Amino acid sequence: MGKTRDKTSFFDLKRDVVDRGLCTACGTCVGVCLFDAISIDYESDEPIPILTGECTECDMCYPACPGKNVPLRTLDKTFLGSERDFERDKIGIYTSCNRGYAMDEEIRLTSSSGGIVSSLLIFALEEKLIEGAILTGWRKDKPWRCKPYIATTKEEVMRGIRTGMMIVPNNALLAEAVTKKQMEKIAVVGLPCHIHGLRKLQMRGKPKKLVNAIQFCIGLFCASTYYWEGTKHLLQESGKIKNLEDIVAMDYRGGKPPGDMFVLTRDGKFRFVATKHDYVWHLLGSASYKRDRCLMCVDFSAELADISCGDVFQRIEDKPGPFVATVARTETGEGLLQMATEKGYIHLEHHDPDMIPSSGMGWEAKKHAGVYRWLERSRYGWPVPDYEYEISESPLPRDLKFPG
């Protein structure tokens, strides 16, 4: 009889996740490979993990991957202390729901919606709570595309993009930050899928050096990420930019909040491409270019993060804007918010959690449409991620607010 293999490999990951269309492109598999054998490739302009070295069957990448399964019930109990009810816990389990903004006016006005995330990272770096933060920035070689990077100073944090309407494999830099740069304390900013990978990694407890280094998981609200092809069409059709190589810089949310798409070209001209309302609701967000794996996701507000942040589209009477919805979910998250507030980095006030499901269509896209699509795919035997819970959806009476 042949020997039964008890460890998984990249080949299992490719067979069960990548080749079945379940890869989230979060980069976790790259980030946990201590042998540097996995890399991110851009096949058809979309990031996808490939084997570029020798797989040692070390059993690290497959268990940490959030593509095939996200054991939400177990993760909720492990990190948040209880199980959720999908109908009652509309934004997941949390300890406090706030809205706020950066006290530094430059950060506040140059961020997408108030600068809370940037301020938290800057505070954590300056107070030596972390040595580096993994977040998303623009590529130097292709300034119309995004990439993950490691920030160690306020200036580097400020280089992070306001919004990137494409998936970026942030978790791919875990090993680089911890094993190559020898950082013992890091923060990671990511979408729900990035946080799912981090929590699976932490729950398993290995690689221990990586697990011990992750101090803060800061999640971003996410309705979906989009195929790069959609942005390419916007630039070339609406923006009339024939050659992408002419682009020097790009901004999805330039100008006054909620921001519009602009590019700077080599001739020194700033070119308007589309309003945020138009490019989100009438092209990208209408599902035309939503990534297929995102259509099966049921997490809108990064429900497993220490702190979750996202836009507040409702107007708050007699209050300056813009605001960031800031949801604390763990003691670690609460502690970071409290310290940053006391030190004068951020301002926070209570935010009605029922306002979050009414703020734009993101919540609807994940908690209703995503759930329903998951149920329909399951009925036909199509590949879907396993969330461990018996998920369900039902209409929620609310007054929807759309970004202008």
Side-chain angles (χ1 to χ4, degrees), residues 34-337:
L34 303 182
F35 299 95
D36 204 21
I38 309 173
S39 300
I40 294 292
D41 184 34
Y42 284 83
E43 181 179 299
S44 299
D45 279 331
E46 291 300 310
I48 191 169
I50 60 171
L51 191 66
T52 51
E54 182 179 353
C55 179
T56 63
E57 299 188 6
C58 67
D59 200 37
M60 291 297 173
C61 63
Y62 191 90
C65 173
K68 181 183 177 184
N69 74 305
V70 184
L72 288 180
R73 186 193 304 274
T74 303
L75 293 171
D76 280 345
K77 290 190 291 186
T78 301
F79 295 100
L80 308 180
S82 63
E83 296 182 18
R84 78 179 70 181
D85 181 304
F86 267 77
E87 296 302 319
R88 181 193 66 225
D89 301 317
K90 294 184 283 293
I91 60 169
I93 299 164
Y94 63 94
T95 55
S96 68
C97 186
N98 317 278
R99 58 174 178 254
Y101 50 80
M103 294 298 288
D104 183 311
E105 188 173 7
E106 179 188 3
I107 297 174
R108 183 180 181 184
L109 296 179
T110 58
S111 300
S112 62
S113 56
I116 286 285
V117 174
S118 297
S119 294
L120 289 175
L121 296 178
I122 292 167
F123 165 73
L125 286 167
E126 293 182 345
E127 292 293 313
K128 311 298 184 185
L129 301 178
I130 58 173
E131 298 166 79
I134 299 175
L135 61 164
T136 297
W138 295 104
R139 287 174 57 170
K140 291 183 179 180
D141 60 331
K142 295 183 177 181
W144 55 92
R145 297 300 302 266
C146 303
K147 70 170 186 177
Y149 75 103
I150 302 168
T152 60
T153 66
K154 175 181 178 179
E155 292 70 28
E156 290 174 349
V157 169
M158 294 290 285
R159 290 206 333 255
I161 66 170
R162 298 192 251 218
T163 294
M165 309 297 284
M166 62 190 86
I167 187 64
V168 181
N170 285 10
N171 291 0
L173 294 189
L174 288 171
E176 179 175 336
V178 178
T179 62
K180 293 183 181 179
K181 296 184 179 295
Q182 295 295 303
M183 293 180 178
E184 296 182 354
K185 297 180 293 183
I186 65 171
V188 184
V189 179
L191 305 177
C193 54
H194 296 105
I195 305 301
H196 296 164
L198 295 174
R199 291 310 197 194
K200 288 188 70 175
L201 170 66
Q202 290 177 313
M203 185 172 67
R204 193 170 187 236
K206 57 183 182 179
K208 190 173 182 180
K209 192 173 183 179
L210 294 185
V211 171
N212 291 343
I214 301 170
Q215 303 299 301
F216 305 111
C217 297
I218 300 178
L220 307 176
F221 292 8
C222 178
S224 177
T225 55
Y226 307 92
Y227 291 120
W228 159 249
E229 189 69 16
T231 297
K232 181 180 176 182
H233 277 251
L234 272 170
L235 294 171
Q236 295 186 326
E237 295 179 3
S238 181
K240 306 297 187 293
I241 299 171
K242 294 182 180 179
N243 186 358
L244 298 182
E245 298 290 339
D246 290 335
I247 298 174
V248 175
M250 189 168 106
D251 194 343
Y252 280 96
R253 298 184 68 169
K256 294 177 63 176
D260 302 319
M261 184 185 287
F262 291 90
V263 296
L264 172 64
T265 49
R266 294 188 186 280
D267 56 11
K269 294 181 180 179
F270 281 98
R271 300 172 184 267
F272 169 79
V273 178
T275 68
K276 184 176 188 294
H277 177 88
D278 286 345
Y279 76 72
V280 170
W281 304 116
H282 298 299
L283 183 67
L284 299 179
S286 63
S288 303
Y289 288 100
K290 281 187 176 182
R291 285 174 56 89
D292 191 65
R293 177 59 174 78
C294 296
L295 297 175
M296 296 177 262
C297 180
V298 300
D299 187 344
F300 165 62
S301 55
E303 295 162 1
L304 288 165
D306 292 309
I307 300 168
S308 307
C309 295
D311 285 294
V312 173
F313 291 126
Q314 294 98 335
R315 184 183 177 200
I316 310 299
E317 293 296 337
D318 301 321
K319 295 284 186 178
F323 280 96
V324 185
T326 307
V327 182
R329 302 186 185 278
T330 65
E331 289 185 9
T332 297
E334 285 282 9
L336 181 60
L337 291 177

Side-chain angles (χ1 to χ4, degrees), residues 354 357-361 363-364 368 395-400:
D354 288 336
S358 300
S359 191
M361 284 295 290
W363 189 92
E364 178 73 16
H368 283 168
L396 175 69
R398 64 200 192 283
D399 185 15
L400 280 171

